[in-house]
Amino acid sequence: MANKMWGGRFQTGPSELMEEINASIDFDKRLFRQDIAASKAHADMLAARGIISEEDNAAIQKGLDQILDEIQSGKFTFRRSLEDIHMNIEDRLRELIGPPAGRLHTARSRNDQVATDFRLYVRDTIDHIVLQIENLMRAFAEQARQHHDLVMPGFTHLQVAQPVTFGHHMLAYVEMFSRDRGRFLDARKRLNESPLGAAALAGTSFPIDRAMTAKALGFDRPMRNSIDAVSARDFVLETLAAAAICATHLSRFAEELVIWSSAQFGFIRLSDSFATGSSIMPQKRNPDAAELVRAKAGRVIGALVTLLVVMKGLPLAYSKDMQEDKEPAFEALDTLSLVLEVTRGMVEDMQPVPERLREAAAHGFSTATDLADWLVRKLNMPFREAHHVTGRLVALAEEKGGDLSDLTLEEMRAVEPRISEDVYSVLGVDNSVASRTSYGGTAPDNVLKMATEWLETIASWQKEETGEQKG
Ligand code: ARG
């Protein structure tokens, strides 16, 4: 049978293979809410402009409400022969209300319809993800506040570099995720314009009111160019780019959890909720959740690359290629949402092990820079020379199998005679972190202040958000 919607000039229905490659209903059915909302706004506008009658609009509104109910309660039958969510809904509307259903598609096309639905969907998803990022940031900031003075080794090249505080390390992630939040909010601002009314690509001769439908759907304004309105997918690309960067940040943290929870490091304990045992080795407690968070970044990055490749070289305006925008976006955003939630759970549960952190912080001559700085400050030595003297002291300590603070004053004076007793005051890890009071530095006072500020900021964002929803 020829397709009901556009079958006028076709003799036979699509072959099974054609249906297989062409139908998108299996995945785009998740746009039903947005599709119905956009259709309701469109029909209201058509009635307000006298393009369809009030009676037809009333029937359309009632029918669409019923379809929403049917889908939500699982009573709706989706048909692949009807290709996509737009035609599934329109066809059901025809079954429910008859001829007035045919008037709904006046002055629009599936091209502006799908662009509108997908913008609404991505916008809703961004709102959810932003909230999840904020909750994750709160979990990190809480850890930072609690452990603002807990000393741990800071690393470069995964080699012990200088002592830092656990709180400071946690706040580094708060900063990263705050930028991820910003990227999603930026993307949201740019995507929040309505394509509806662009029709197939050229606009329409009907006296529609695009500002009215834009407003009804919560868009800031209608898009200015009808060709761009149906062709643009950079709103998805930009959102996926933000998602890929965020997933990358999550993956870096997950890798740290894997390292930190190993027996060799023993820096943290992950709760049983996020670890699993081995089926053969009874002693094992594997950080599976962290490993999966680390790996799932691959899907999100892959989705971005997939859609970039789909879009590159596409001529304006709509081509069916663009139907391939949905699955990668769904997969990436679902995945990101899952890993954000899992990571929040792991951050909330994770318990640092102070003895291990402190012991590791003291290892590897981590206060060598403090010693060099002391030589500069107290002896007015040029830093390069101080670096050299410190190097010789490190070599000496290494030879004796101890740390810098284990060297006697005489031993140090053999290398640099002007060194005094006072030098020991900078050699301990606590002294080291306490001295790093420069803005953005690791001193516990700085960290406590910054963690508190972040917790306040996050609370104020969420107050605004719930306020907006009510208002
Ligand atoms: N299912 C299509 C998509 O997702 C809807 C738009 C179809 N438009 C068209 N001219 N065939 O892109």
Side-chain angles (χ1 to χ4, degrees), residues 24 28 83-84 86 109-111 114 233 318-320 322-323 325-326:
S24 54
D28 68 16
E83 280 189 40
D84 58 23
H86 324 293
S109 144
R110 271 191 294 157
N111 297 349
V114 73
R233 289 297 181 271
Y318 179 86
S319 300
K320 198 60 172 269
M322 286 154 72
Q323 178 167 286
D325 60 355
K326 287 171 210 69

Side-chain angles (χ1 to χ4, degrees), residues 421-461:
E421 189 72 38
D422 179 61
V423 75
Y424 290 101
S425 71
V426 300
L427 292 184
V429 289
D430 291 299
N431 294 330
S432 171
V433 294
S435 73
R436 297 239 149 56
T437 53
S438 57
Y439 182 77
T442 195
D445 288 351
N446 278 7
V447 173
L448 182 59
K449 187 160 168 274
M450 205 60 95
T452 312
E453 277 176 28
W454 268 122
L455 288 167
E456 282 164 11
T457 303
I458 297 161
S460 75
W461 288 338

Side-chain angles (χ1 to χ4, degrees), residues 96-113:
L96 289 174
I97 68 170
R103 300 191 184 278
L104 171 60
H105 212 54
T106 314
R108 83 172 181 189
S109 144
R110 271 191 294 157
N111 297 349
D112 59 338
Q113 196 179 353

Side-chain angles (χ1 to χ4, degrees), residues 133-134 137 171-185 249 454 457-458 461:
I133 292 177
E134 290 170 3
M137 289 173 66
L171 287 182
Y173 283 104
V174 174
E175 298 290 336
M176 288 150 83
F177 289 113
S178 79
R179 291 191 295 273
D180 288 329
R181 175 182 181 271
R183 271 182 279 274
F184 278 109
L185 290 175
H249 289 159
W454 268 122
T457 303
I458 297 161
W461 288 338

